[in-house]
Amino acid sequence: VGLAEMRPAVESTGGLIVMSETTSSSNLRHSLQKLLELDENGHLKMAFGLVLEVYASKEIKVCGAIGPVSSLEQKGAAIAETEIGIGNTVAWKVCTGDERTSIAMYYEVFVLQYVTRYQHGCGEQRIRVTTAARRWADSSSSTAPMRNVSWVTSCVLRTRIVSKAKRPMGAPP
């Protein structure tokens, strides 16, 4: 099995690929030291077994997620007909995560609650709840929604959609 064949597994699990000729190479040693860095309390700087669930009002539909996620195939009324990335679910599994983990979520409308459960590096189970609400613009002001848009973020997310859609599974970017 070559590196190109392993890429989909690494991308969907948030894994890491280090190319090295031998297990005693400095490149491998430095990569593993960086990966296994500890925080100020002596715990790994990562979380394990993350579960990301979306709870939305009845008007909101979840299109999907792009990032190191796998579908938990949890059905619900909030699933959109349009699928973007890994869709057709309201819950995803992320094997490992750290401060660099990035997941883009796509919706048809925007008022949500995320519930993320994971095991911290110290062994504790933790839950984080984030609620995002969008102020609805009044129909007389067509520019009101535009003030809350991050154009850089919008460009990055659109690029992720196109990149994910055009690249065959296992193909290099």
Side-chain angles (χ1 to χ4, degrees), residues 31-45:
S31 296
L32 288 174
Q33 285 173 342
K34 179 74 175 162
L35 176 69
L36 300 173
E37 278 183 337
L38 302 177
D39 65 13
E40 60 277 355
N41 296 319
H43 303 127
L44 289 172
K45 291 183 175 180

Side-chain angles (χ1 to χ4, degrees), residues 51-55 71-77 79 87-92 117:
V51 174
L52 176 62
E53 298 175 271
V54 175
Y55 295 92
S71 172
L72 288 178
E73 298 181 9
Q74 185 174 321
K75 303 303 179 199
I79 297 175
N88 204 21
T89 186
V90 293
W92 295 264
R117 296 175 306 210

Side-chain angles (χ1 to χ4, degrees), residues 47-67:
F48 305 95
L50 288 85
V51 174
L52 176 62
E53 298 175 271
V54 175
Y55 295 92
S57 64
K58 63 183 177 185
E59 301 86 15
I60 298 168
K61 301 294 181 188
V62 180
C63 295
I66 294 178

